[in-house]
Amino acid sequence: MSLILGIETSCDETSASVVEDGYRVLSNTVASQIAKHAVYGGVVPELAAREHLEAITPVVSNALETAGKKIADMDAVAVTAGPGLMPALLIGVNFAKGLAAGNNLPLIGIDHFIAHIYGTFLDGAITELKKPGIFPLLALVVSGGHTSLVLISKDGRAETVGFTLDDAAGEAFDKAAKLLNLGYPGGPVIEKAAKNGNPSKYSFPRSLTGGAGRALSNENRFNFSFSGVKTALLYHCRNLGGNENIDDKTLFDTVASYQEAIVDVLCRKTLDAAEYFNVSSIVVSGGVACNTALRERFKSNTPKKINLYLAEKKYCTDNAAMVAGLAYQYHIKGIHHDLSIDPYARGTDSLFAVPLVACAG
Ligand code: KG4
Ligand code: ZN
């Protein structure tokens, strides 16, 4: 039996979790800073760092207490090393280094992307990961910071095959909500308002899908772009005479149509890539994967021959259980990192290239 304490501070949630044997979640404490950032309509990195600094000690204590464990019971300390907001990552990474050094525990740096994918297989869902024939697996990680398609092969290697050229899908929701004065974060408020609207009332652009007579280069076949749909919304609102002149029905139809454009692109591109790479499974995770319209679209459109795994909603948004869970898969292979690891804000890192040994199951 192995116990790992995971720490996550890459964006605006301070989270700590104790996970047993890579899947049994004994605790998953999440302190959200949403209220602090809401007044600014988005996450302010320096404010996030200050909030993490204040929250991290009580959050870690709470995670250990809820699990009924002490730091001395842990076999390793794991922390999100990147990608994320640098000031925010630094708090978690430095705290984890101190905790590991002070308690003589190994340290494991975790890639937030891969952790989002692994989060789909926590608790009882771990059995799915052990099933033969689950690979190759295509994961759509879709959140406020990322919109990427990651292909994981049978040998556990992960490769990014598609990514957003500008905004992440979650950002498109957040910016739209800001524009329409609906609050922050945008995804949940837009989803709620969209339930009362007609998704086919207005036609918002589906960028990089090759529509409207535009040729699509092979290079961008699996890439995303959400800045166009956001700009289209801005002009749509201006044409209606500005926010103050948009009645409720028009507002509901607008957000329903906007959400539809995003859901349509995410689902279509993922299914296109799934077919191209001839994958056995699709995983959808990250904050935007909480969206019911997106979940339903995947359920109805994914071909029967492909296993579809939608992360449980509580593991879609940022949490440390996915970090501690994934770390176990490195820990059992003796893969630990030394105290000199640096956080990284973007892209991939050598950590990312480490075989996702969990998947070899
Ligand atoms: O994974 P996450 O907590 O943080 C990042 O790693 O970015 O994702 C947060 C993002 C926000 O942009 C938020 O608007 C979006 O996920 N989100 C949603 C929903 N719930 C959260 N987007 C669409 N529909 C939702 N129900
Ligand atoms: Zn995330």
Side-chain angles (χ1 to χ4, degrees):
M1 191 193 73
S2 196
L3 288 169
I4 296 188
L5 172 71
I7 295 173
E8 155 66 42
T9 68
S10 69
C11 190
D12 61 349
E13 341 271 358
T14 315
S15 180
S17 164
V18 175
V19 176
E20 190 178 38
D21 292 345
Y23 71 97
R24 213 172 288 124
V25 181
L26 304 187
S27 64
N28 186 29
T29 306
V30 183
S32 174
Q33 308 172 1
I34 283 175
K36 300 271 175 175
H37 298 282
V39 281
Y40 303 101
V43 180
V44 182
E46 281 70 26
L47 178 58
R50 220 180 311 141
E51 293 294 317
H52 285 309
L53 193 57
E54 218 167 275
I56 196 152
T57 304
V59 164
V60 168
S61 301
N62 182 278
L64 287 167
E65 220 171 274
T66 308
K69 305 288 176 194
K70 296 194 168 42
I71 187 72
D73 299 325
M74 298 300 115
D75 293 289
V77 175
V79 64
T80 299
L85 304 170
M86 190 50 95
L89 287 165
L90 276 164
I91 305 294
V93 169
N94 285 324
F95 190 90
K97 282 180 182 178
L99 210 53
N103 294 282
N104 224 356
L105 293 169
L107 177 72
I108 304 167
I110 289 295
D111 187 280
H112 188 82
F113 254 9
I114 300 285
H116 264 303
I117 300 167
Y118 189 85
T120 313
F121 300 105
L122 291 169
D123 299 326
I126 193 78
T127 52
E128 297 296 325
L129 201 54
K130 307 289 174 200
K131 279 187 181 161
I134 180 176
F135 300 100
L137 178 155
L138 180 72
L140 171 68
V141 181
V142 62
S143 69
H146 340 276
T147 300
S148 295
L149 284 168
V150 180
L151 180 68
I152 300 174
S153 57
K154 212 173 183 166
D155 65 3
R157 295 241 147 218
E159 184 197 349
T160 302
V161 294
F163 56 89
T164 179
L165 303 182
D166 39 58
D167 291 348
E171 233 177 323
F173 278 111
D174 295 338
K175 287 178 178 170
K178 189 174 179 182
L179 183 78
L180 296 164
N181 289 328
L182 294 177
Y184 175 83
V189 285
I190 287 189
E191 171 168 7
K192 195 161 168 239
K195 288 207 169 88
N196 304 309
N198 173 4
S200 27
K201 174 79 186 194
Y202 303 110
S203 170
F204 284 102
R206 273 79 162 151
S207 300
L208 303 183
T209 55
R214 281 185 300 274
L216 177 64
S217 68
N218 267 344
E219 184 194 352
N220 280 327
R221 179 164 169 189
F222 307 129
N223 287 341
F224 300 91
S225 166
F226 292 106
S227 64
V229 70
K230 184 189 66 187
T231 310
L233 176 69
L234 177 71
Y235 285 107
H236 171 82
C237 293
R238 278 192 192 158
N239 290 341
L240 292 169
N243 278 347
E244 57 285 2
N245 290 310
I246 300 178
D247 59 50
D248 280 357
K249 186 179 178 313
T250 310
L251 176 70
F252 294 151
D253 288 344
T254 297
V255 291
S257 303
Y258 185 82
Q259 174 178 270
E260 171 61 25
I262 296 174
V263 165
D264 182 34
V265 171
L266 290 172
C267 192
R268 256 161 60 189
K269 289 216 169 226
T270 306
L271 294 182
D272 183 28
E275 195 183 329
Y276 180 84
F277 293 106
N278 196 18
V279 301
S280 303
S281 314
I282 292 175
V283 161
V284 188
S285 64
V288 179
C290 286
N291 187 283
T292 308
L294 182 70
R295 297 172 83 88
E296 292 307 316
R297 186 65 49 88
F298 268 104
K299 281 187 206 162
S300 53
N301 289 14
T302 303
K304 290 266 173 302
K305 61 175 183 174
I306 297 178
N307 308 302
L308 174 67
Y309 299 111
L310 302 169
E312 247 192 85
K313 288 190 181 180
K314 67 179 169 188
Y315 298 132
C316 281
T317 44
D318 288 349
N319 66 87
M322 64 188 192
V323 175
L326 174 59
Y328 170 79
Q329 308 298 340
Y330 294 94
H331 178 65
I332 52 171
K333 298 269 168 161
I335 302 171
H336 299 130
H337 301 112
D338 67 44
L339 293 177
S340 66
I341 60 161
D342 285 324
Y344 53 99
R346 311 192 148 265
T348 58
D349 182 85
S350 54
L351 290 170
F352 191 68
V354 170
L356 184 59
V357 281
C359 299

